[in-house]
Amino acid sequence: MTKRQKIWDVVFPLVFIWLCMAAVTVVLLLVTGLIVGEYDPEKIYDRVRTLPMWISIAAFGLTLLLQKNNYRVDSMRFPMRDGGWKAWQMVCGCLCVTFAGHVWSSLITGSGLERVFTGYTQNAAPAFENQNLLLLILGTVILGPAAEEMIFRGMLFRRAAYYAGMRKGILLSAFCFGIYHGNVIQFLYAFLLGFLLAFVYERSGDLRAAVAAHMSVNAWAVFGDRLIRKTFHGSVPVSCLAAEAAACVTCFLLLYFRGKQKNA
């Protein structure tokens, strides 16, 4: 296989989920426009607030359906070591990624970068506001993590690690995961999560561990952060973030050194 073929083999999963999302968006915008008698996308989104969730649900479902066979083939082409994770390691993986995501998100928000790079606050964030709870859970907490882990860790990361080595594979998959989210703020957030999710997958050898961690961090982002801010009157206490950071580092080190001992 030539270098160009290897590069295409690695980036194809990213291209596929992008195209899938674009195709579903166009189709549902057209169908919704015909139903409501409106053809301006912004006005359609204003009139049908749940449309972004329906687009996500349809795109993720279609991705899972169309790529499941390729994922199975990749499982044989690029075998992963079996980390044989126990229940406590699965819990540590979920806590590590969840707390890291919340602390990192809070730091990004507090840094003022959202006022400089406004793509997220103007376009992405409003899509999750005032959404139907069941659709939000289905699209963001269930189908999204399952589809994205299959694409970015189960396929893209495995291919990149096989061709370029484990470290480069983790970094490349994290970079592509960030690019996939489409704006600077989400890139910064998703890059760190992509790195940790690839770490969880590499250590466990089980995509279910990465899916569980991804579901956990998304559920916390949607519900946990709101609960904390409501409890503390709109802000997240520094002590809370410090406790989460300490728990995250502890879980990461436990998984890291446990993996090294097993390898030795």
Side-chain angles (χ1 to χ4, degrees):
M1 183 178 285
T2 66
K3 185 177 181 179
R4 182 177 296 179
Q5 288 173 323
K6 290 179 181 178
I7 292 173
W8 171 246
D9 200 35
V10 170
V11 301
F12 170 75
L14 170 62
V15 174
F16 181 87
I17 195 170
W18 258 341
L19 292 176
C20 193
M21 188 67 72
V24 168
T25 299
V26 170
V27 170
L28 288 187
L29 275 174
L30 288 174
V31 171
T32 307
L34 290 172
I35 294 173
V36 301
E38 180 60 68
Y39 300 99
D40 184 334
E42 291 187 6
K43 293 181 179 179
I44 293 175
Y45 283 124
D46 287 338
R47 293 186 62 178
V48 187
R49 298 292 298 175
T50 58
L51 184 58
M53 281 295 99
W54 284 115
I55 290 173
S56 295
I57 290 168
F60 291 140
L62 190 61
T63 298
L64 287 168
L65 179 65
L66 296 180
Q67 287 299 309
K68 63 179 182 179
N69 288 334
N70 284 338
Y71 166 70
R72 290 171 182 167
V73 171
D74 276 17
S75 299
M76 295 181 286
R77 289 174 65 199
F78 314 110
M80 294 284 291
R81 66 170 182 168
D82 183 6
W85 268 17
K86 298 178 182 178
W88 72 265
Q89 290 170 300
M90 296 282 283
V91 172
C92 276
C94 290
L95 292 178
C96 176
V97 178
T98 299
F99 290 150
H102 187 237
V103 171
W104 186 226
S105 174
S106 298
L107 290 175
I108 291 173
T109 300
S111 70
L113 285 174
E114 291 182 357
R115 293 192 295 271
V116 179
F117 303 102
T118 58
Y120 174 71
T121 53
Q122 290 181 351
N123 301 312
F128 297 97
E129 297 174 356
N130 302 317
Q131 284 290 345
N132 179 279
L133 181 61
L134 292 179
L135 294 182
L136 194 61
I137 293 173
L138 181 59
T140 305
V141 181
I142 299 176
L143 290 180
E148 290 175 356
E149 288 312 304
M150 183 182 72
I151 290 294
F152 288 98
R153 258 59 67 179
M155 297 174 68
L156 193 154
F157 164 65
R158 290 173 77 135
R159 297 177 184 190
Y162 181 82
Y163 294 133
M166 193 61 65
R167 291 182 181 178
K168 291 181 180 178
I170 289 176
L171 290 174
L172 181 59
S173 65
F175 179 80
C176 289
F177 191 53
I179 290 292
Y180 157 76
H181 282 79
N183 60 75
V184 173
I185 297 300
Q186 284 186 295
F187 171 85
L188 295 173
Y189 177 72
F191 180 86
L192 176 65
L193 289 188
F195 178 90
L196 291 175
L197 288 166
F199 168 79
V200 166
Y201 184 37
E202 188 274 329
R203 290 283 161 172
S204 67
D206 189 343
L207 191 64
R208 291 173 298 181
V211 172
H214 197 155
M215 287 180 173
S216 178
V217 73
N218 280 12
W220 188 253
V222 172
F223 303 108
D225 183 71
R226 294 179 182 178
L227 178 61
I228 291 176
R229 292 182 183 277
K230 185 176 181 179
T231 302
F232 294 99
H233 308 291
S235 63
V236 180
V238 174
S239 59
C240 180
L241 295 177
E244 287 183 312
C248 171
V249 172
T250 301
C251 290
F252 181 87
L253 292 176
L254 283 172
L255 297 175
Y256 179 78
F257 287 112
R258 176 67 177 178
K260 292 194 72 172
Q261 290 174 358
K262 187 167 184 177
N263 289 339

